[in-house]
Amino acid sequence: MKQRIIALLLALALTLSLCAVSALAGEEAPAEDQAAEEQKKASEETTDGSEAAGNAEDGAPAEEEEPLSPAGPDTEPEIDPETGESLTEAVETVPDEVGTVTFANVERRMREKNLQVLVLEENIQALEVIDYDKLEQSLRETLNDIADAQWGMITSSGMMGEPIAGSLASQNLQTQYDAVREQFDAIRDGEMQEDNAATIRQLKALQDQIVIAGEALYVAVRAMDIQEAALQRQLDSLNRTVEEMELRYQMGQISALQLSEVRSGRTALVSGLETLRMNIRNYKLQLEMLIGAEQTGEIQLGPVPEVTEKQLGAMDLETDLLAAKEKSYDLYAAARTLEDAQEDYKESGRKYGYNEKKYEFLAAKHSWQAAQYTYNNTIQDYELKFRTLYAQVNDYKQIWDAAKTALACQQDSYASMELKYQQGTISKNALLDAEDDLREAEEKVRTSANDLFSSYNTYCWAVQHGVLN
């Protein structure tokens, strides 16, 4: 229990400092057996989910050119279950040019250079290098040393005729002995190993969340770049309008107030564009810090990958959901919390003989039931979020398709307007307005493609790592 508390405190501190970035039980536990039955069911479900997770993570077979997931390189290589060979060793990493970053390299660069991720990695390594056999032997020797000191104190006090029981020195030795014995028993029972494995899993989940935040920031900057281009296009159009209105004012066709209103609109647009550029620079500074690059605010981002029909076709709601649940640390932690509640319930049952006339046992029983409801709620909430994400990916796909259809129509319209301009039937400004409409349609395609990739990438993280934000 002490190890569990230490692990939770460590995780809480790391979460607060790194990111601003929870069950399946029966209706009522019959004294001893319900939680075990539920855990058995969960184990059977996660066994199936493990196979689904393997399929989801393996993505395309080695001979295929195109991976099924753009979620970035995993920290652990993918292994072909049939041949035992790595599926990721053959993937050639193309480094970014100086002052640039591509989405494919964001995760790799963060895991290599991000200080927060590296701190977590060192904590993970510190737990993974523990030799529990040697630690157990060391604790055994410490227990023997304390016992020898206690015996020496007893014999020396007996010879001097002084009382030893209840003395401060004796109490301190006993406190030390009890603390070491607790750790020794925790290793013998496997509790320390289990708690440390849970802590490692939690720290890795925190690493994943930091990486996801970096990738989300990358996509957000790309979206802001599209927005900047749209505002610049609007400003160019408004500049033409101002020029036209100034000419009309000189000809006496409009009033000074009308001209002033147009100029005021342009001023507001320029101000908004400057604010957007400032935000883009600040976000780029954050991204540069996350990937360990020099902080200039000028880093150039490559386009986000395009989600293909093949990748979308590989999505399977129920299979992917099982894989995500198997990998989810949140569900894993909820299951451990449920186990703790079950142990508390059993302990109370043994102490009070499962006597419902004892209020202490009834309180423990209600706490156990509440823990089951909490566990069920965590499962339901996770499943709801995953299903919502799945639907969101498909919705963004139809929005993208609609935008491409609209773009094709706009291209035909612009070609018609261009022909009319060449024939002299429309003005230059009319052609430029048609060009603006074409550029706007292109921006909608890029925006919808960006949104589709963002949701699909989040979906991949959920399936491959269980992280679902």
Side-chain angles (χ1 to χ4, degrees):
M1 182 61 69
K2 182 178 295 184
Q3 291 293 326
R4 179 75 55 80
I5 294 174
I6 293 174
L8 292 175
L9 289 175
L10 174 61
L12 178 60
L14 288 169
T15 301
L16 291 175
S17 62
L18 297 177
C19 315
V21 155
S22 121
L24 207 48
E27 294 182 353
E28 182 174 350
E32 297 278 340
D33 301 326
Q34 180 174 356
E37 181 66 19
E38 293 300 331
Q39 293 303 314
K40 181 180 178 181
K41 291 180 181 179
S43 176
E44 293 172 352
E45 291 181 359
T46 54
T47 299
D48 296 335
S50 177
E51 297 176 359
N55 294 335
E57 283 189 76
D58 287 347
E63 68 271 14
E64 295 185 5
E65 299 179 356
E66 176 182 63
L68 290 180
S69 168
D74 293 331
T75 53
E76 298 180 359
E78 299 176 33
I79 304 299
D80 189 327
E82 296 182 359
T83 65
E85 298 179 354
S86 172
L87 298 177
T88 56
E89 288 180 349
V91 178
E92 184 176 347
T93 300
V94 180
D96 297 322
E97 297 181 2
V98 177
T100 67
V101 61
T102 57
F103 185 87
N105 286 331
V106 170
E107 179 178 358
R108 178 185 60 79
R109 293 178 67 170
M110 289 187 66
R111 293 192 185 279
E112 292 177 355
K113 298 292 183 67
N114 183 273
L115 297 180
Q116 296 174 338
V117 173
L118 293 176
V119 168
L120 291 171
E121 184 62 30
E122 292 301 324
N123 283 282
I124 291 171
Q125 294 298 325
L127 293 174
E128 289 183 336
V129 299
I130 295 177
D131 188 322
Y132 293 100
D133 292 334
K134 292 183 178 179
L135 180 57
E136 180 182 349
Q137 180 60 33
S138 176
L139 292 175
R140 181 184 287 110
E141 294 173 357
T142 302
L143 288 173
N144 291 334
D145 291 341
I146 296 175
D148 291 341
Q150 288 176 318
W151 177 247
M153 184 178 294
I154 292 173
T155 56
S156 63
S157 299
M159 294 175 58
M160 300 178 63
E162 296 180 356
I164 181 61
S167 67
L168 180 60
S170 175
Q171 292 177 358
N172 287 338
L173 284 175
Q174 188 61 44
T175 299
Q176 295 177 31
Y177 185 91
D178 293 341
V180 176
R181 182 69 195 209
E182 182 179 359
Q183 295 185 10
F184 180 80
D185 290 341
I187 294 178
R188 292 289 298 271
D189 298 337
E191 293 179 2
M192 181 180 293
Q193 294 91 320
E194 183 181 350
D195 287 340
N196 286 345
T199 301
I200 289 173
R201 185 166 178 171
Q202 185 175 30
L203 295 176
K204 288 183 177 180
L206 288 173
Q207 286 182 318
D208 289 341
Q209 290 188 11
I210 296 173
V211 174
I212 291 174
E215 291 187 346
L217 182 59
Y218 185 103
V219 176
V221 173
R222 288 297 303 162
M224 295 172 74
D225 285 339
I226 298 173
Q227 186 180 359
E228 180 188 14
L231 289 180
Q232 183 61 57
R233 174 182 53 75
Q234 294 174 25
L235 180 59
D236 293 340
S237 177
L238 193 53
N239 284 336
R240 297 196 303 269
T241 301
V242 170
E243 183 179 352
E244 179 183 344
M245 296 297 281
E246 287 177 343
L247 180 59
R248 293 180 61 186
Y249 174 72
Q250 295 174 1
M251 298 172 61
Q253 296 179 355
I254 62 171
S255 65
L257 178 60
Q258 290 175 304
L259 178 59
S260 178
E261 289 174 346
V262 175
R263 287 174 173 173
S264 176
R266 180 188 180 281
T267 300
L269 184 58
V270 170
S271 176
L273 183 57
E274 289 301 318
T275 299
L276 178 61
R277 286 170 175 167
M278 181 269 294
N279 288 328
I280 291 175
R281 185 176 187 279
N282 289 340
Y283 282 10
K284 285 185 175 182
L285 284 169
Q286 295 179 35
L287 182 61
E288 289 167 343
M289 181 188 71
L290 287 174
I291 64 175
E294 181 183 0
Q295 296 184 38
T296 63
E298 302 295 335
I299 192 168
Q300 299 299 310
L301 279 61
V304 297
E306 181 176 306
V307 183
T308 66
E309 294 287 349
K310 185 175 182 180
Q311 290 169 335
L312 294 173
M315 293 170 55
D316 183 284
L317 177 57
E318 299 305 327
T319 300
D320 292 346
L321 177 56
L322 287 175
K325 290 168 66 176
E326 170 69 16
K327 296 295 185 69
S328 171
Y329 172 77
D330 290 339
L331 300 188
Y332 169 77
R336 283 173 57 82
T337 301
L338 183 63
E339 291 174 2
D340 289 342
Q342 178 195 8
E343 289 302 318
D344 292 342
Y345 169 75
K346 288 182 176 182
E347 182 179 349
S348 177
R350 289 189 292 266
K351 183 176 181 180
Y352 298 103
Y354 297 94
N355 186 352
E356 296 197 358
K357 293 182 179 180
K358 297 286 187 179
Y359 78 89
E360 295 91 347
F361 171 70
L362 284 176
K365 180 180 180 180
H366 289 304
S367 296
W368 162 232
Q369 187 65 67
Q372 295 176 73
Y373 291 144
T374 300
Y375 180 71
N376 288 334
N377 181 72
T378 304
I379 294 289
Q380 291 177 355
D381 183 64
Y382 187 90
E383 291 180 347
L384 176 60
K385 289 181 179 178
F386 188 90
R387 294 179 188 278
T388 300
L389 179 58
Y390 178 87
Q392 186 181 59
V393 173
N394 289 302
D395 185 55
Y396 279 131
K397 172 59 168 59
Q398 66 88 12
I399 293 175
W400 185 41
D401 289 339
K404 289 189 291 186
T405 299
L407 174 60
C409 293
Q410 199 61 53
Q411 288 172 336
D412 292 339
S413 176
Y414 178 74
S416 174
M417 295 295 286
E418 193 171 30
L419 179 59
K420 291 180 181 180
Y421 175 73
Q422 293 172 355
Q423 295 173 345
T425 59
I426 63 171
S427 66
K428 178 67 173 179
N429 279 355
L431 178 62
L432 292 175
D433 289 342
E435 184 179 0
D436 285 341
D437 293 338
L438 176 60
R439 297 293 171 258
E440 182 179 1
E442 293 172 344
E443 291 157 5
K444 288 182 179 180
V445 170
R446 290 197 296 271
T447 298
S448 56
N450 202 70
D451 292 339
L452 173 59
F453 175 79
S454 179
S455 61
Y456 178 72
N457 186 57
T458 303
Y459 184 87
C460 291
W461 272 102
V463 175
Q464 296 179 359
H465 302 276
V467 181
L468 185 58
N469 293 329

